[in-house]
Amino acid sequence: MLDEEVHEVQAEAEKLQKGWGQGVFGQAYQMLRKERAEQEREAQEKKSASVLTIEFTQESGRVVTIEAEGRNVLQQTQMALRKESASEEVAFKSGVKATIVIGVGDDARSYKCEADELVLDKDQEKQWKQLGQDANGLRLQLKFFRSTHTLKTAFTLGDIRATVPPPESSAAAAPAPSSS
């Protein structure tokens, strides 16, 4: 489609002034290459992008949802809290469910972990907690900070590190060729 457009512009430039078509072609080809590289970069970014959703279910039944984003998640990859999640407070005692989705479309991979009860120490200003133990699943290290502006003891998440198993290589998943 873009190639046709380049040829049309080149022909039109040649009609206006002899020799312009060749100059336009070089510029058009450069723009085409740049556009294709940008599309490839965007596709790669989407493929490596991940979204982590953590739900804290408090004893009252209230659910606090926190979301974070990351790229190229493998071993203890730092996740960036989304702006709207940065100030969310969770109780010192709650159930936790976490899901990470890596990539988009048919190539997307999803991992989960949960804990029926996560208990934070009310006396500590900051503390790390591990969520998930399965080497073939999602494992999270969560850093909590005690909130100082509420009457009840509550915590905010300050840092998240995610670990997932490496993706299966397509060669390992493909059946071996038969020998004849």
Side-chain angles (χ1 to χ4, degrees):
M1 181 174 124
L2 196 55
D3 290 335
E4 290 174 22
E5 213 172 300
V6 167
H7 291 299
E8 285 176 23
V9 169
Q10 189 177 12
E12 196 172 316
E14 199 63 40
K15 286 179 190 175
L16 292 171
Q17 178 78 34
K18 190 159 180 80
W20 279 10
Q22 194 60 31
V24 167
F25 176 75
Q27 287 179 325
Y29 186 69
Q30 184 180 7
M31 289 173 60
L32 174 65
R33 287 181 55 205
K34 188 175 181 179
E35 186 174 297
R36 286 184 180 161
E38 180 67 19
Q39 288 171 345
E40 193 174 302
R41 185 189 62 76
E42 287 175 5
Q44 187 62 34
E45 277 185 9
K46 286 180 181 179
K47 186 178 179 180
S48 69
S50 59
V51 175
L52 172 67
T53 304
I54 307 172
E55 293 180 343
F56 294 88
T57 305
Q58 300 175 2
E59 289 182 326
S60 65
R62 179 175 174 257
V63 177
V64 175
T65 302
I66 294 178
E67 291 186 319
E69 300 171 341
R71 296 219 175 283
N72 301 316
V73 176
L74 285 175
Q75 299 280 325
Q76 296 185 347
T77 304
Q78 186 168 17
M79 304 293 289
L81 282 169
R82 287 188 172 166
K83 192 174 185 177
E84 62 272 12
S85 296
S87 61
E88 288 286 347
E89 294 182 339
V90 297
F92 77 96
K93 190 177 190 181
S94 56
V96 186
K97 291 182 181 179
T99 304
I100 192 168
V101 178
I102 302 169
V104 292
D106 293 339
D107 295 330
R109 298 178 291 136
S110 178
Y111 300 96
K112 298 179 181 201
C113 65
E114 63 182 87
D116 292 333
E117 186 176 76
L118 177 72
V119 180
L120 300 169
D121 186 342
K122 293 180 183 183
D123 296 327
Q124 287 189 351
E125 290 288 323
K126 43 188 158 178
Q127 55 196 294
W128 284 93
K129 292 291 182 176
Q130 169 93 20
L131 183 62
Q133 303 294 326
D134 183 4
N136 294 317
L138 173 63
R139 291 169 289 165
L140 297 173
Q141 290 79 38
L142 308 171
K143 186 176 187 180
F144 293 92
F145 292 94
R146 190 174 68 208
S147 183
T148 55
H149 64 276
T150 60
L151 294 175
K152 290 185 175 182
T153 302
F155 294 85
T156 56
L157 259 175
D159 196 359
I160 303 171
R161 306 290 169 131
T163 300
V164 297
E168 295 178 7
S169 68
S170 56
S178 59
S179 55
S180 325

